[in-house]
Amino acid sequence: MFGFNYYTPTKVVFGKNTESKVAELVKEFGGTKLLIHYGGGSVVRSGLLKRVTDTLDAAGISYVMLGGAVPNPHLGLVYEGIDLCKKENVDFILAVGGGSAIDSAKAIGYGVVNEGDVWDFYDYKRKATGCLPLGVILTIAATGSEMSDSSVITKEEGLVKRGYSSNYCRPKFAIMNPELTMTLPDYQTACGCTDIMMHTMERYFTNGGNMEITDALAEGLLRTVKKNALILAEDPNNYDARAEVMWAGSLAHNGITGCGNDGGDWMTHKLEHELGGLYDVAHGAGLAAIWGSWARYVYKDCLPRFKKFALNVMDVRDEGTDEEIALCGIEAMEDFYRTIKMPTNLRELGVNPTEEELVTMAKKCAIGVGGEMGSAKVLNEEAMLAIYRASM
Ligand code: NZQ
Ligand code: ZN
């Protein structure tokens, strides 16, 4: 077991109608002039944005608005947001939406507080020294960005998708009303459940420092999301299932399911980020399409963990060799993806890269991780290419 820092400063306000608390939360954290940042319009159509601005108006809190954060959010809009915040003397950002609006808000927050080009942080050229404070009203359970230290942005030029992590960007508060997620298309609900499970699995499939308590939390979280994803596939308006998944989404990425280990594997995410940057696929679907190929490539180097996953999460029977049990676990996970209509390869994801494109993705991925990365198994560029090829 390794020592660790566990830092989750976000105040979570969870339950029905919690968005009505937005003005008092903004005041509690010192916001006087807001940027309200949102995505492509779902919050306009659902009426949420109007409810939020009505509440802020009634409390006398002024704000400017910037919508348009797309899935795999773009750097161009981040620059626009930075200029707007500076011009309007914004001192607090309120992200209303999913991971894309939140990540874009975090990047804007970095750009307002730090001099120079904000992309430098995502390009690993330098480190941020602060971020404008931000709060979140979450509308999709998926990335955990509402409590996480990370932000993922795509630079349009060269379609480079990169993440940057620091504690500065952790939201001050996260309003989570599970009812707000009931307007999601089924596909996005399934993508979200996949991402939540993957955040836990990235931390679970490691070769270093695992703790019993962390494993118990992780396995419980995985079983809960699996069960409730199946419920939501049949009954999308089930409040309790929405609530289970929503809270799991935050716990899956606020660090608690990684305490004591070596930091996690994260290669499925890195491989997916290249797909997201290049083909603009939904993040969760991209993860599902890659995971099986990654798992089959690495499982022999992380066999005890794959066996444990098969037995404790996927309910595989304890029969046969460790390898057979591990493989049954991988197959069971892929069956689960199919049941919730997630892809298990690139073809099902709807992309068909040429060999040249696969080579480019592997190259960019290797550059993005500084040459090689992974804990279940350390992967270099050649291994990344092999996994991309296997996922065709
Ligand atoms: O843009 P709008 O119109 O709001 O529509 C969104 C979008 O089309 C829609 N949606 C969201 N809430 C809705 C809704 N539609 C109807 N009703 C609602 N209540 O769903 C679509 C997806 O939204 P998005 O915010 O893109 O989804 P998600 O939360 O999955 O975020 C994905 C982005 O986050 C990054 C991903 O790479 C991707 O760019 N990630 C961020 C992480 C982090 N910051 O910690 C970690 C993750 O691993 C991930 O990389
Ligand atoms: Zn993710």
Side-chain angles (χ1 to χ4, degrees), residues 37 60 90 146 168 258 304 327:
H37 193 42
V90 164
E146 66 277 8
Y168 295 121
L327 281 171

Side-chain angles (χ1 to χ4, degrees), residues 39-43 45 69-73 97-101 103 106 139-140 142-145 148 150-152 161 180-181 183-185 188 195 199 253 269 272-273 283:
S42 71
V43 298
R45 288 190 295 280
V70 290
N72 305 309
S100 297
D103 285 6
K106 289 175 173 178
T139 64
I140 170 172
T143 63
S145 188
S148 84
S150 77
S151 154
V152 187
K161 183 174 174 178
L180 297 179
T181 67
T183 50
L184 279 168
Q188 288 296 340
D195 195 20
H199 290 158
H253 207 32
H269 263 76
E272 190 288 328
H273 281 173
H283 173 61

Side-chain angles (χ1 to χ4, degrees), residues 172-361:
K172 301 293 176 202
F173 66 80
I175 291 175
M176 292 187 230
N177 174 358
E179 284 183 326
L180 297 179
T181 67
M182 288 180 186
T183 50
L184 279 168
D186 292 344
Y187 182 73
Q188 288 296 340
T189 298
C191 284
C193 291
T194 303
D195 195 20
I196 292 167
M197 293 182 79
M198 275 307 315
H199 290 158
T200 306
M201 288 152 68
E202 297 279 22
R203 292 172 168 93
Y204 187 88
F205 292 113
T206 69
N207 270 313
N210 298 295
M211 286 179 83
E212 199 177 316
I213 177 69
T214 299
D215 282 354
L217 287 166
E219 289 166 1
L221 191 151
L222 289 168
R223 282 197 303 272
T224 302
V225 177
K226 185 158 74 78
K227 175 182 160 190
N228 286 286
L230 295 173
I231 293 173
L232 290 176
E234 299 296 320
D235 182 13
N237 290 335
N238 185 312
Y239 179 85
D240 289 344
R242 288 282 177 194
E244 297 284 355
V245 167
M246 195 173 215
W247 185 223
S250 303
L251 296 180
H253 207 32
N254 77 3
I256 199 164
T257 60
C259 291
N261 77 14
D262 62 0
D265 184 88
W266 295 105
M267 273 315 300
T268 308
H269 263 76
K270 296 295 179 190
L271 291 161
E272 190 288 328
H273 281 173
E274 298 309 320
L275 285 172
L278 210 53
Y279 301 104
D280 210 16
V281 296
H283 173 61
L287 293 170
I290 288 285
W291 184 78
S293 304
W294 168 86
R296 286 192 178 80
Y297 193 87
V298 308
Y299 79 97
K300 286 185 191 160
D301 293 72
C302 194
L303 201 50
R305 307 293 295 167
F306 274 89
K307 180 181 176 189
K308 195 168 152 61
F309 173 79
L311 297 175
N312 295 354
V313 180
M314 302 314 295
D315 295 325
V316 169
R317 288 227 296 266
D318 195 358
E319 288 171 8
T321 65
D322 288 358
E323 272 198 33
E324 283 164 350
I325 292 169
L327 281 171
C328 283
I330 295 169
E331 275 160 29
M333 188 69 203
E334 288 181 319
D335 282 345
F336 165 73
Y337 285 147
R338 288 187 199 98
T339 312
I340 60 166
K341 299 195 171 59
M342 282 288 100
T344 55
N345 55 49
L346 297 189
R347 202 172 1 89
E348 289 169 11
L349 180 65
V351 301
N352 190 15
T354 60
E355 173 65 15
E356 203 184 330
E357 285 167 334
L358 295 179
V359 170
T360 305
M361 281 198 294

Side-chain angles (χ1 to χ4, degrees), residues 16-68:
K16 290 181 184 173
N17 200 32
T18 40
E19 63 274 19
S20 65
K21 305 248 190 301
V22 64
E24 58 189 84
L25 285 163
V26 166
K27 282 187 179 163
E28 183 181 334
F29 290 98
T32 60
K33 176 74 184 275
L34 309 190
L35 171 72
I36 302 178
H37 193 42
Y38 57 97
S42 71
V43 298
V44 178
R45 288 190 295 280
S46 68
L48 172 63
L49 194 62
K50 173 83 170 58
R51 289 208 301 285
V52 169
T53 52
D54 284 352
T55 308
L56 295 172
D57 289 341
I61 298 171
S62 62
Y63 53 83
V64 288
M65 299 213 264
L66 181 66

